[in-house]
């Protein structure tokens, strides 16, 4: 075992947020009497990404970002809507989303046998807690650190200081940050002096190299599947003979 404490991001690391997000957006549009199109969804994705970048930089709060995003979106189409009302409709569907990254349960089950597992995630507390509980992933974690509860988010020093101060006998060199976001998870971990593992799911070698080069960051490990965490930990990839869970 190389790392004693594993700090997991949630969205697109443990749960497939992309799938949940698209479905929740489509259902929200139906609720609001609007027509869903791929074009409007892609416009939303671009707008939402820009807002979350501002949140990560501390320029706006999470509440400010999420309560204005749908009003900003529909304004591009000449419509004035109640941003918070649309956000509540979207959140109702998002809270139900439990689409999982393949292999997440058996991987976490095995890792829990030798490591302490924690969640570190940006987002609304109710949403993240609901999704983790509904998926059954909560059974693997000693605690969950959620930006909406803490009042600071990744990659800020305040967020990672809070995590360090609330895990007993925390030693940075014995911990590993695991996440899909270079700007949030990996940068935050590096700035906090904690080893990092970039989950580059679905990215081929050239695209990984390009993203890393553009980010200017250097994670300690890069994986494409959750099962590769066993290689990171220096453990054999095969399950023990008595394990019935399988992949």
């Amino acid at each position: 075992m190389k790392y004693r404490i594993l700090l997991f991001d949630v969205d697109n690391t443990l749960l497939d947020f992309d799938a949940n997000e698209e479905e929740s957006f489509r259902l929200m549009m139906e609720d609001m009497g609007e027509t869903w199109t791929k074009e409007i969804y892609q416009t939303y994705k671009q707008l939402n990404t820009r807002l979350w970048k501002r949140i990560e930089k501390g320029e706006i709060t999470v509440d400010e970002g999420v309560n204005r995003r749908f009003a900003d979106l529909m304004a591009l189409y000449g419509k004035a809507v109640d941003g918070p009302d649309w956000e509540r409709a979207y959140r109702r569907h998002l809270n139900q989303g439990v689409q999982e990254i393949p292999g997440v349960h058996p991987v976490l089950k095995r890792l829990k046998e030798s490591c302490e597992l924690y969640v570190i995630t940006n987002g609304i507390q109710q949403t993240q807690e609901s999704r983790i509980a509904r998926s059954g992933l909560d059974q693997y974690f000693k605690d969950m650190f959620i930006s909406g509860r803490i009042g600071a988010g990744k990659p800020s020093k305040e967020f990672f200081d809070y995590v360090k101060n609330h895990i007993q006998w925390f030693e940075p060199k014995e911990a590993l940050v695991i996440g899909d976001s270079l700007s949030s998870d990996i940068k935050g971990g590096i700035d906090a002096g904690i080893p990092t593992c970039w989950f580059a799911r679905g990215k081929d070698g050239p695209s990984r190299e390009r993203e890393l080069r553009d980010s200017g960051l250097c994670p300690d490990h890069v994986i494409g599947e959750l099962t590769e965490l066993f290689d990171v930990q220096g453990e054999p990839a095969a399950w023990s003979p008595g394990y019935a869970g399988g992949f």
Side-chain angles (χ1 to χ4, degrees):
M1 179 186 67
K2 188 169 184 178
Y3 300 102
R4 180 175 62 87
I5 296 171
L6 302 182
L7 306 172
F8 282 91
D9 174 49
V10 173
D11 294 325
N12 291 329
T13 300
L14 302 177
L15 296 177
D16 190 339
F17 182 76
D18 289 343
N20 185 15
E21 180 183 42
E22 184 166 0
E23 177 70 1
S24 299
F25 184 89
R26 183 184 64 79
L27 292 171
M28 177 203 66
M29 292 291 284
E30 290 181 3
D31 290 347
M32 296 304 177
E34 297 290 341
T35 301
W36 182 95
T37 65
K38 195 69 174 179
E39 186 272 335
I40 195 171
Y41 179 65
Q42 290 303 320
T43 301
Y44 163 74
K45 289 276 288 183
Q46 295 168 9
L47 183 152
N48 192 51
T49 296
R50 290 195 296 270
L51 284 174
W52 276 102
K53 293 296 183 184
R54 295 187 63 193
I55 290 169
E56 290 176 5
K57 293 177 181 179
E59 296 176 357
I60 58 175
T61 67
V62 172
D63 284 346
E64 289 170 336
V66 300
N67 283 317
R68 64 178 284 184
R69 56 185 172 181
F70 295 113
D72 289 355
L73 172 68
M74 297 311 293
L76 296 175
Y77 295 88
K79 296 184 178 182
V81 304
D82 186 325
D85 188 41
W86 278 54
E87 176 63 25
R88 285 189 291 271
Y90 173 70
R91 187 73 42 191
R92 284 195 300 273
H93 297 296
L94 196 69
N95 286 356
Q96 308 302 311
V98 293
Q99 296 95 326
E100 299 170 359
I101 297 297
V104 63
H105 277 278
V107 168
L108 293 181
K109 181 176 181 179
R110 183 178 172 192
L111 289 172
K112 186 184 177 184
E113 295 173 359
S114 57
C115 307
E116 295 179 16
L117 310 185
Y118 297 87
V119 160
I120 56 169
T121 179
N122 285 347
I124 306 298
Q125 180 178 354
Q126 180 185 4
T127 297
Q128 300 300 65
E129 289 179 343
S130 172
R131 294 170 66 228
I132 290 291
R134 288 175 60 84
S135 66
L137 296 179
D138 55 334
Q139 64 184 298
Y140 306 114
F141 296 100
K142 293 194 69 172
D143 202 353
M144 296 191 292
F145 300 101
I146 304 172
S147 65
R149 183 182 72 202
I150 293 171
K154 300 175 295 183
S156 73
K157 179 179 185 299
E158 292 78 11
F159 180 91
F160 282 93
D161 281 349
Y162 185 96
V163 172
K164 291 177 182 179
N165 292 332
H166 287 78
I167 296 178
Q168 195 171 25
W169 300 307
F170 185 90
E171 291 289 341
K173 66 181 180 181
E174 297 179 352
L176 182 68
V177 172
I178 303 158
D180 71 297
S181 172
L182 289 169
S183 61
S184 176
D185 305 306
I186 305 309
K187 184 178 188 307
I190 290 173
D191 289 349
I194 304 172
T196 58
C197 178
W198 182 34
F199 184 29
R201 176 178 174 238
K203 302 179 189 297
D204 60 20
S207 65
R208 292 183 187 185
E209 293 176 7
R210 184 166 54 252
E211 283 195 48
L212 286 173
R213 183 176 62 251
D214 292 345
S215 74
L217 300 171
C218 186
D220 297 273
H221 309 279
V222 177
I223 62 174
E225 301 290 341
L226 288 178
T227 53
E228 293 177 52
L229 285 172
F230 301 127
D231 295 329
V232 171
Q233 286 290 70
E235 298 183 8
W239 295 101
S240 61
Y243 185 75
F247 280 99

